[in-house]
Amino acid sequence: MTPSASLAPAAAGQPAAGADPALSAVGVTMAFGGMRAVDEMSLSLGRGEMVALIGPNGAGKTTMFNLVAGSLRPTSGRILIGSADVTGEGPTRRIRRGVGRTFQIPRPFAEMSVLENVLVGAQSQTGEGIWANFLAPRRVAAEERAAIEKARALLEFVTLSHLELEPARVLSGGQRKLLELARVLMADPDVLLLDEPAAGVNPALLDLLIDRIVALNGAGKTILLIEHNMDMVARLCSRAVVMAAGRLLAEGTPDAVAADPAVIAAYLGDAP
Amino acid sequence: MIDILSYGFFFLTMALTYGIVCLGLNVQWGQTGLFNVGIAGFVAVGAYVSSLLTTPESASHLGGFGLPIAVGWVGAALATALVTFLIGALTIRLRADYLAIATFGAAVSIQLCVLNFQPVTGGPFGVGFIPRPFAALAGRPFLFGAANLALIAAVVAVLYLALERLAQSPWGRALKAIREDETAAQALGKSAVAFRLQAFALGGAIMGLAGAAQAHFIGFIAPDNYQPTLTFQVWAMLIVGGSGNNRGAILGSVVVWGIWALSAALISAVVPADQQARAASLQIVTIGVALCAILLWRPRGLIGEARVGARHLLRPAAPRKAPTPSGEN
Ligand SMILES: Nc1ncnc2c1ncn2[C@@H]1O[C@H](COP(=O)(O)OP(=O)(O)OP(=O)(O)O)[C@@H](O)[C@H]1O
Ligand SMILES: [Mg+2]
């Protein structure tokens, strides 16, 4: 333990994760000018746990994801992967440490094919070095074949196989969300940060998607999920963390937080 | 007849040396989106390094070291890669417009250095007696021209194949992803700075090699050869041919160099002798007009970038009906 007793107020959460968290945020704050989008938030994910991050619109959930995934540097506070302090590391380093994320608003590589989009997710490819393509072409080709096979399996997994050669720009909103998921899975992360994976996915597919997420968690992946659909949260997660106005509002089983008057008030207060 | 053929060889060889520069620019701009406005500077570095390495010892500049031509060319590529890498390391994090200014400044500085470090570069007098490939054939212009053309064509072919392989490799894919959406690419572990820097240095190395090839083909270099006009010509070549496409880069260089040579011939035929130096700037105007015309007629250049590459490895998994969306371009 580092001697940071001053963080005690924020850390006074729930029983939460065990002694060996896969990922933790300790008292992180993100200020945009005067506005604190995330304010002294703490969060901890046990290995293999599946946790929901919920809260009204604008609560700071996506900002929290950006902090955890490294696309934003916190104004204060620390982010740890395992026991390593990664606060100063960018997103590239964090995915190498096994933390992958999807975007709430999908960011496909529009002019690349759907299959190529997924292939970009492949990590530590020999062929990413210029020289290797000339000095070890067989190895590069073998890895590429393996990567293509895996990418195809993932496209199958998210039901996009029939579109693999189309440029990603032709995908619909829901298909883009599915592509986001396939792409990050290509990197084989231990910890998955899923920002509203089901938003815009049609109800017929939703059950399938839930099955898939359960399967991933069953395979040992730690998952943090932002989701507005409380029904889905209840089906997937044993624990939910509620944010409101950048702060930790409540934490507990989905049923318990859904019944929490403070949570209900926060949702109603922010309703249009 | 032999004369015309010999001129044809000369013309094509020159055009193809520009084609090499253009291939370098295509790595930087076409593949990576790096706005390099300092091409002339990088070409100059290659030309001078190779010249100093290979010329016979001379009192008027550093060296020469009398090394074989091949050593000069490799040295030119490596030295230019290093210079490009250093400039890139300082500037590649900048926004595109600042990168443009920085590379332009670098090129002007390089040109001024070459002009003023007389003990090293020969200053305004340049470097002469640069050994020419196949010098033994010099007495037979036809064979000499053919051999030189074959050499440069071979260099272009090898570079083309190598760059095509890179474009289709995981390296090329990462570059493309970074160009399309940097945030998403970074989230997937592709370091934008590292890949951009590699592409910048690789493009620089190719430009340096082109500078060397040109210097040895002409046999003489001077600081005046490396004015911003050169940068403009190469940009015109890439845009006319089709940015993002290696074949386009080569085709564009032949077409634009053709327009350049034709307009020069026209000017010398039409304009009175005492006005010709001034009229030469009409050549730049001609290229500019040709550029506009081609952009209006074919906005993506003569052969544009293949949008979604039909990668040889990426055949459909299973036979299927291709659902081509009707609105597709
Ligand atoms: N880059 C930024 N600059 C300024 N303000 C920002 C920035 N990013 C987010 N915010 C603000 O921070 C607040 C939290 O945004 P965030 O996207 O984290 O909300 P969220 O909880 O994900 O909401 P939703 O459920 O609607 O996705 C919002 O008020 C938003 O306007
Ligand atoms: Mg959000």
Side-chain angles (χ1 to χ4, degrees), chain A residues 239-253:
Chain A
R239 185 159 72 95
V241 173
V242 189
M243 280 183 83
R247 296 183 146 270
L248 178 68
L249 181 67
E251 197 172 350
T253 63

Side-chain angles (χ1 to χ4, degrees), chain A residues 59-95:
Chain A
K61 304 180 296 293
T62 297
T63 308
M64 190 67 195
F65 258 37
N66 287 334
L67 291 167
V68 172
S71 18
L72 285 175
R73 296 285 155 88
T75 314
S76 64
R78 293 184 306 142
I79 309 285
L80 295 108
I81 297 175
S83 55
D85 187 329
V86 298
T87 315
E89 290 181 2
T92 355
R93 300 283 292 279
R94 294 199 197 178
I95 186 149

